[in-house]
Structure formats: C-alpha cells, structure tokens
Amino acid sequence: MTMLYFDFNATTPLSHKSKMAIQGGLDQFANPSSRYRLSNNLITLIHQAKESVAQLVGGSPERIIFTSGGTESNNLALHSVFGQLPAGQLSRYHAISSAIEHSSILEPLRWYQEKGLQLTIIEPNKTGRIDLDTLCNAITPQTCFIALMAINNETGVVQPFDALASRLKGKGIHLHFDAIQAVGKWPIHSFDDIPLTLSFSGHKFYAPKGIGGLYYSPQVKICPLLHGGGQEQGLRSGTENTLGIAGLAAAATEAHEALARRFDYCQEMRAYLFAQLDKLRVNYHVNGEKTPEYQAPWTLSITFPGIRAEALASRLDLCHGISVSLGSACSNNSQAPKRSHVLLAMQVPHDYIDSTLRISFGHVTERQAINALANALQQETQYLLSIAGERKV
C-alpha cells in the first residue's frame, strides 16, 4: 500500500538538498568550539547557516540563536523576559497572549501566572483570528510582554502580527512571535525597532528535527535557559548540532528561493481538494478564514458532521495508507485526550470538534495524492455514516 502523508504541520520530510548537506557533514566530526584547524569548516558552516536563516526572517545573522527547536525557543523567549524581573515582584507585571497559542507558550505563561504574573488571554473570533484592537485595548501600564503566533498550527489562520508590531513601536513592550508555522513558508520579517523575539523550527520546512532557533532584536537581552559551555555567544550552551545545522541551512536556502512558487502551488492544491470534495458530494465544513490573506493554504481544519474524527483518521490510515491528524501533534501526547483548545476558543460546537481532522500538505504533495485523499474521504464518510444509521450524503 502506498503511504500518503497529509500531516505537514506536524513535521515535513527532509528535502533532498537537506539530506545531501547532512550526508556531506557526516565526516565533519570536530567540535566547533575547539581551537584547531579541523574545526574551522564547522565554524564557517554555523555562520553561513545563520546567514541562510536570516534571509527567511529578515534579520541580522548575528542575532540568531540555534536551539533544539520551537519549544525551547518559545521558552527561551519567555524566560528572557520574566527570568530577569526582580524576585518576588512578578505581580507588578502584566502579560498578554491569545487563547490559540501553542502549549509551549501557554503553559509557561500560566506557570508564571501562578507565581504572581498578571495575565490576560485574548479570545479569537469565530474564524480563529485575534482582533488587533481587542488585543491592544488590553495593554496596561504594567504590560511588559505580548505573545502572538504568526500562523495557527491547527487552523492555519494568519494572525495580525505585522500590524501588532507596528502598533507597539515606542511602547517598550517585548513582543514574541511564535513563527514556527510561518518561517520558511510565509513571507515574514523581523522588527529591530522594538523589543522582539521570533521562534522557528527546522522540521516545519523540510529540515531535520532537533534544530530550530530564536531571533532577537537589539533591544532584547537574552537570559539563557542553559548554562555551561558558552556556545552561541554564551546565550545557549551545549555543543552545536552541526548535522542539524547543515540540514537547516540547506532547507532555509531552498525555502527562501522557492517561497512564492511553493505558496502558489499550495493555494492551487487547496482549491483542487475542495473542488474534488464538492464533486464527490462530501459533506464538510472548514474551520478558519475565508479571506485568503488571513489563511495559510496548506492547512485545513475540516469537519465531517456526524462522524467521529478518530474513526475516520484510523480508517484513512489502515484502509488507504493516508496519514492525517486530529489536531496538534503535541496535544496528542496528552495522557487524557482533550478537545482542541483552539477550536473551543473559536466556539466550534463540541460535536463538530469531535468530527474534525487537520489536513496539511506541502509543495511535494502531488495531485494524484489529493485525488486519493478526496476519494478515500468520500468512501469512508459514507461508510461511517451508514454504520451509524445516518443518511448518506
């Protein structure tokens, strides 16, 4: 059975050039922190990789810190703000975030809230977008930090991150962008005239897992999570993951060169999938934005009314070799499965949440795979409705 993959938001396959870069680095075993000539190539590799990533985030290479990935980068950004506040005085400070953020933002914020931090969580509208005026109206004289993701990982809804950055000029408030679903896929740039951090993760754009980073503007003082060897200008200790960095550099260069072409292709495939579903008369509802500039085309949060999503996903996998997700891959690790906090915040009815799949694809997804997915969805929704005693649609 041919395996068809539609969970690109969870992780992407390695690009050919990323694989080649990793293979080419297998014999480059020296420690970049060592002082002999054998290390020089790896020192150069790290510098060049930062230049490649800087093209994707529109910033300076020297302001990029390599980390193990998005979760570490998000935690490092938060720690750099709240870890430097006077001990026992968190209650004097205020932070704002949204209800649709990734758990690597929300959980640390709630931890700091338990220690006294004032925290405001902004709810999205029913399409999953945060209203900029609502967020800005929540700012108080005590506000020191705002976190807003660039693109939601479950719905693909694009948040007003650029406009928010513009509004915060001159306010001295640290702004953090979780750009993990955006960097390498959506046009993005940093803002060096405000205190800003921006996180990214390589395996979301065809680089290996275990490598990501944080961009920080000149106004930001990084407070390290890890101490020891003094790597990354003393901001992230630990011997550099040079194989991961080699793969990241290659994928970043590819993404920068092909950003518009890949984006247009995903838009085409999204429209084609909807056309096929409509042709096959599949009953579905899309959660997210209908305005194209507010919606990442490679992500679909799609509800099949009357059908348990777990059953549908299992049958797609076992009967058709098709991999889809019920939501965020991270949330699937929970001991007690919960309804999507993103869809709950959007006020999606519980029965619709229980019938929702996340389908995500990339520029390597072929039209034949879209056809197979649409046909499988038509077949399995009909089957599951029939055994549930529902009317076929």
Side-chain angles (χ1 to χ4, degrees):
M1 180 188 296
T2 302
M3 300 303 290
L4 300 174
Y5 184 70
F6 286 93
D7 199 16
F8 279 66
N9 280 18
T11 195
T12 55
L14 283 175
S15 73
H16 176 71
K17 288 186 178 179
S18 185
K19 285 182 186 178
M20 295 301 294
I22 293 169
Q23 290 172 1
L26 290 175
D27 293 329
Q28 302 275 352
F29 64 88
N31 190 318
S33 297
S34 298
R35 297 296 182 184
Y36 33 71
R37 286 179 294 168
L38 201 60
S39 299
N40 289 345
N41 287 344
L42 292 171
I43 294 170
T44 300
L45 166 68
I46 293 169
H47 289 322
Q48 290 177 343
K50 291 190 176 185
E51 290 175 356
S52 296
V53 174
Q55 293 182 102
L56 290 181
V57 301
S60 303
E62 62 273 13
R63 301 201 124 352
I64 291 171
I65 305 168
F66 285 135
T67 69
S68 63
T71 293
E72 182 187 340
S73 295
N74 283 340
N75 276 260
L76 177 57
L78 269 68
H79 184 62
S80 293
V81 175
F82 303 116
Q84 300 187 74
L85 297 180
Q89 297 188 29
L90 267 176
S91 61
R92 298 174 56 189
Y93 297 90
H94 176 240
I96 302 171
S97 191
S98 83
I100 59 171
E101 298 299 309
H102 191 269
S103 57
S104 60
I105 291 290
L106 289 175
E107 289 187 18
L109 280 175
R110 286 169 179 148
W111 186 86
Y112 282 114
Q113 184 182 28
E114 291 176 359
K115 304 297 180 183
L117 176 69
Q118 301 174 55
L119 178 62
T120 298
I121 300 295
I122 305 297
E123 301 289 335
N125 61 25
K126 291 187 177 182
T127 69
R129 201 160 194 263
I130 298 298
D131 180 74
L132 184 60
D133 289 335
T134 301
L135 192 154
C136 290
N137 288 338
I139 295 173
T140 73
Q142 290 76 41
T143 304
C144 65
F145 178 84
I146 297 175
L148 182 68
M149 57 175 26
I151 300 177
N152 185 261
N153 53 304
E154 290 192 34
T155 64
V157 174
V158 182
Q159 304 303 323
F161 58 94
D162 280 350
L164 176 58
S166 297
R167 288 209 193 179
L168 292 183
K169 289 179 181 179
K171 295 185 181 297
I173 298 172
H174 184 124
L175 176 60
H176 176 65
F177 289 150
D178 173 348
I180 291 163
Q181 292 291 347
V183 170
K185 298 185 284 187
W186 186 275
I188 199 163
H189 63 280
S190 59
F191 294 80
D192 280 352
D193 51 357
I194 62 172
L196 176 85
T197 46
L198 184 153
S199 54
F200 61 90
S201 184
H203 75 107
K204 305 299 186 180
F205 58 94
Y206 308 93
K209 300 171 186 64
I211 185 68
L214 184 73
Y215 182 83
Y216 65 103
S217 70
Q219 292 93 328
V220 172
K221 180 181 178 183
I222 296 296
C223 183
L225 283 170
L226 304 176
H227 301 267
Q231 289 87 353
E232 294 292 88
Q233 304 113 50
L235 303 178
R236 201 276 185 178
S237 291
T239 301
E240 293 91 344
N241 175 7
T242 51
L243 289 178
I245 291 170
L248 177 70
T253 298
E254 287 182 288
H256 176 68
E257 293 174 348
L259 195 69
R261 183 171 68 252
R262 291 178 177 181
F263 185 90
D264 290 344
Y265 181 80
C266 286
Q267 281 190 316
E268 180 184 338
M269 288 301 100
R270 181 186 184 88
Y272 183 68
L273 175 56
F274 287 148
Q276 293 305 104
L277 292 176
D278 292 340
K279 179 181 177 182
L280 294 168
R281 306 181 75 175
V282 177
N283 184 27
Y284 67 92
H285 169 80
V286 179
N287 307 299
E289 270 285 349
K290 295 197 174 15
T291 307
E293 57 263 39
Y294 298 159
Q295 179 67 50
W298 53 84
T299 306
L300 290 83
S301 173
I302 187 165
T303 299
F304 299 93
I307 292 169
R308 293 290 299 186
E310 295 96 330
L312 180 56
S314 293
R315 288 193 62 84
L316 288 174
D317 185 16
L318 297 174
C319 302
H320 303 271
I322 294 174
S323 301
V324 296
S325 172
L326 301 180
S328 167
C330 298
S331 66
N332 292 334
N333 291 325
S334 174
Q335 294 291 329
K338 298 180 293 185
R339 290 189 175 98
S340 161
H341 73 283
V342 173
L343 298 183
L344 285 171
M346 292 166 59
Q347 301 179 43
V348 176
H350 288 188
D351 59 335
Y352 265 43
I353 296 176
D354 296 341
S355 299
T356 296
L357 297 180
R358 182 185 69 179
I359 296 170
S360 51
F361 50 86
H363 71 279
V364 297
T365 304
E366 297 180 347
R367 190 174 291 258
Q368 296 93 314
I370 298 287
N371 286 333
L373 173 63
N375 286 322
L377 285 169
Q378 191 269 348
Q379 178 180 330
E380 296 305 333
T381 54
Q382 291 281 4
Y383 172 76
L384 290 169
L385 286 172
S386 70
I387 64 173
E390 297 285 343
R391 180 179 60 87
K392 291 185 180 181
V393 290

